């Protein structure tokens, strides 16, 4: 098991409203190393190890795509756990991470057709450096998606948020579908996504999420931290 947690933000100055959630990971997992990646760190990592990706990185149309893409590089290069800043840890995370790759999605009970639906890159774990699942993403997957969607008409229905297809939810979902029979991928649901962003109002007054969701070891607060990166 690689005990390293990756966070990312534009600079080293994380907004105060995220710090309680960031510190929760250190509280419940005190033996784990934590690493905050900044925009400067991201560019340095690419310049040192993945120079061929720099042009695509610079040509992305949004900072969201740049932030999304880098989390795959963290896990390929170092392994460990990536979590968005708006994730709160509720307990020891290690028992959950019992597969080569662990990803999270909104509960499949919401979807009647494909059980692999909203797989979010907001929580991803790799138990080894250089895992082939993430290798396929950083050594071809991101590049193919960029070329496929770079000239897409964003007024076309479904393509307004192009990052969903180039680096985000839909991109990762397709990679899981392609790799689920090749790799040891575990997709967890209520353990880390006990409620959906459409239910925010219902849980806005909850003071103790650990008490409210005793079977969950983390909770996503849907604070759209990734969108703050573009400000």
């Amino acid at each position: 098991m690689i005990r390293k947690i990756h966070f990312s933000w534009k600079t080293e100055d994380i907004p105060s409203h995220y710090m309680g959630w960031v510190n929760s990971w250190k509280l419940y997992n005190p033996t784990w190393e934590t690493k905050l990646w900044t925009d400067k760190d991201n560019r340095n990592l690419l310049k040192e190890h993945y120079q061929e990706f720099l042009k695509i990185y610079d040509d992305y149309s949004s900072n969201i795509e740049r932030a999304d893409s880098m989390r795959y590089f963290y896990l390929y290069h170092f392994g460990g756990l990536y979590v968005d800043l708006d994730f709160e840890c509720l307990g020891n995370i290690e028992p959950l991470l019992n597969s080569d790759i662990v990803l999270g999605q909104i509960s499949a009970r919401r979807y009647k057709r494909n059980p692999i639906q909203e797989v979010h890159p907001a929580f991803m774990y790799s138990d080894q450096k250089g895992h082939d699942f993430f290798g396929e993403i950083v050594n071809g997957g991101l590049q193919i998606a960029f070329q496929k969607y770079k000239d897409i008409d964003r007024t076309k229905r479904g393509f307004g948020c192009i990052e969903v297809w180039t680096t985000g939810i839909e991109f990762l979902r397709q990679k899981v579908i392609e790799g689920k029979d090749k790799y040891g991928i575990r997709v967890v649901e209520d353990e880390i996504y006990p409620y959906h962003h459409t239910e925010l109002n219902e849980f806005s007054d909850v003071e103790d999420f650990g008490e409210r969701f005793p079977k969950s070891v983390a909770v996503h607060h849907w604070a759209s931290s990734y969108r703050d990166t573009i400000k």
Side-chain angles (χ1 to χ4, degrees), residues 51-104:
Q51 285 192 14
E52 68 281 358
F53 190 73
L54 266 174
K55 187 176 188 316
I56 290 178
Y57 183 78
D58 289 334
D59 286 347
Y60 277 133
S61 59
S62 69
N63 283 334
I64 295 175
E65 290 170 288
R66 295 184 188 97
D68 276 355
S69 67
M70 287 308 303
R71 55 192 71 181
Y72 302 117
F73 284 94
Y74 307 153
L75 297 186
Y76 179 65
H77 198 82
F78 299 99
L81 175 67
Y82 171 83
V83 290
D84 275 357
L85 295 181
D86 54 353
F87 251 108
E88 178 183 1
C89 188
L90 304 176
N92 180 4
I93 199 67
E94 292 190 16
L96 186 70
L97 307 178
N98 59 0
S99 191
D100 293 351
I101 302 293
V102 181
L103 307 171

Side-chain angles (χ1 to χ4, degrees), residues 25 81 83 87-98 102-109 123 186-196 209-210 212-222:
W25 293 93
L81 175 67
V83 290
F87 251 108
E88 178 183 1
C89 188
L90 304 176
N92 180 4
I93 199 67
E94 292 190 16
L96 186 70
L97 307 178
N98 59 0
V102 181
L103 307 171
Q105 75 163 2
I106 304 305
S107 180
R109 66 175 177 268
F123 179 106
R186 181 185 181 196
V187 179
V188 298
E189 300 176 358
D190 291 345
E191 297 95 328
I192 61 171
Y193 289 111
Y195 71 97
H196 191 264
F209 281 88
R212 179 64 179 80
F213 302 113
K215 294 183 180 180
S216 299
V217 295
V219 58
H220 194 204
H221 289 293
W222 304 105

